[in-house]
Coordinates of all heavy atoms in Angstrom, one line a residue:
I31 N 5.6 -8.3 15.4 CA 6.0 -8.4 13.9 C 4.7 -8.8 13.1 O 3.9 -9.5 13.6 CB 7.1 -9.3 13.7 CG1 7.6 -9.3 12.2 CG2 6.8 -10.8 14.2 CD1 8.8 -10.1 11.9
S35 N 2.8 -12.0 2.6 CA 3.1 -12.4 1.2 C 2.1 -11.8 0.3 O 0.9 -11.9 0.5 CB 3.1 -13.9 1.1 OG 1.9 -14.5 1.4
A43 N -2.2 -5.8 -9.5 CA -2.0 -4.4 -9.8 C -1.2 -4.2 -11.1 O -1.5 -3.2 -11.9 CB -1.2 -3.7 -8.6
S48 N -0.8 -2.1 -16.1 CA 0.2 -2.3 -17.2 C 1.5 -1.6 -16.8 O 2.1 -0.9 -17.6 CB -0.3 -1.8 -18.5 OG -1.5 -2.4 -18.9
T62 N 2.0 -3.5 -0.4 CA 2.4 -4.4 0.7 C 2.4 -3.7 2.1 O 1.8 -4.2 3.0 CB 3.7 -5.0 0.4 OG1 3.7 -5.8 -0.8 CG2 4.1 -6.0 1.6
Q81 N 0.2 7.9 0.8 CA 0.5 8.7 -0.4 C 2.0 9.0 -0.4 O 2.6 9.5 0.6 CB -0.2 10.1 -0.3 CG -1.7 9.9 -0.4 CD -2.4 11.3 -0.4 OE1 -1.8 12.3 -0.3 NE2 -3.7 11.3 -0.4
G89 N 6.1 9.9 -10.4 CA 5.0 10.7 -9.9 C 4.4 10.2 -8.6 O 5.0 9.4 -7.9
L105 N -0.3 4.5 -9.5 CA 0.7 5.5 -9.5 C 0.5 6.4 -10.8 O -0.1 6.0 -11.7 CB 2.1 4.9 -9.5 CG 2.5 3.6 -10.2 CD1 2.5 3.8 -11.7 CD2 3.8 3.1 -9.7
T159 N 9.9 3.5 7.8 CA 10.5 3.4 9.1 C 10.6 4.8 9.7 O 10.4 4.9 10.9 CB 11.9 2.8 8.9 OG1 11.8 1.4 8.4 CG2 12.7 2.7 10.3
S165 N 6.3 10.1 13.3 CA 4.8 10.4 13.4 C 4.1 9.6 14.5 O 3.2 10.1 15.1 CB 4.1 10.2 12.1 OG 4.5 11.3 11.2
L194 N 8.9 -2.2 18.2 CA 9.2 -2.4 19.6 C 8.1 -1.8 20.5 O 7.6 -0.7 20.2 CB 10.5 -1.6 20.0 CG 11.8 -2.0 19.2 CD1 13.0 -1.2 19.7 CD2 12.0 -3.5 19.3
N209 N 20.1 -9.7 14.4 CA 19.3 -10.6 13.5 C 19.1 -9.8 12.2 O 19.3 -10.4 11.1 CB 18.0 -11.0 14.1 CG 18.1 -12.0 15.2 OD1 19.2 -12.6 15.4 ND2 17.0 -12.1 15.9
S215 N 17.2 -10.5 2.0 CA 16.1 -9.6 1.6 C 14.8 -10.5 1.6 O 14.8 -11.7 1.5 CB 16.4 -9.1 0.2 OG 16.3 -10.2 -0.8
L220 N 11.6 -15.3 0.1 CA 10.4 -15.9 -0.5 C 10.7 -16.7 -1.7 O 10.1 -17.8 -2.0 CB 9.5 -14.7 -1.0 CG 8.7 -14.0 0.1 CD1 8.0 -12.8 -0.5 CD2 7.7 -14.9 0.8
D221 N 11.7 -16.3 -2.5 CA 12.1 -17.0 -3.7 C 12.7 -18.4 -3.4 O 12.6 -19.3 -4.3 CB 13.1 -16.1 -4.5 CG 13.3 -16.6 -5.9 OD1 12.3 -17.1 -6.5 OD2 14.4 -16.5 -6.5

Side-chain angles (χ1 to χ4, degrees):
I31 183 171
S35 59
S48 301
T62 299
Q81 297 180 0
L105 41 69
T159 298
S165 287
L194 304 181
N209 289 347
S215 70
L220 288 172
D221 194 35

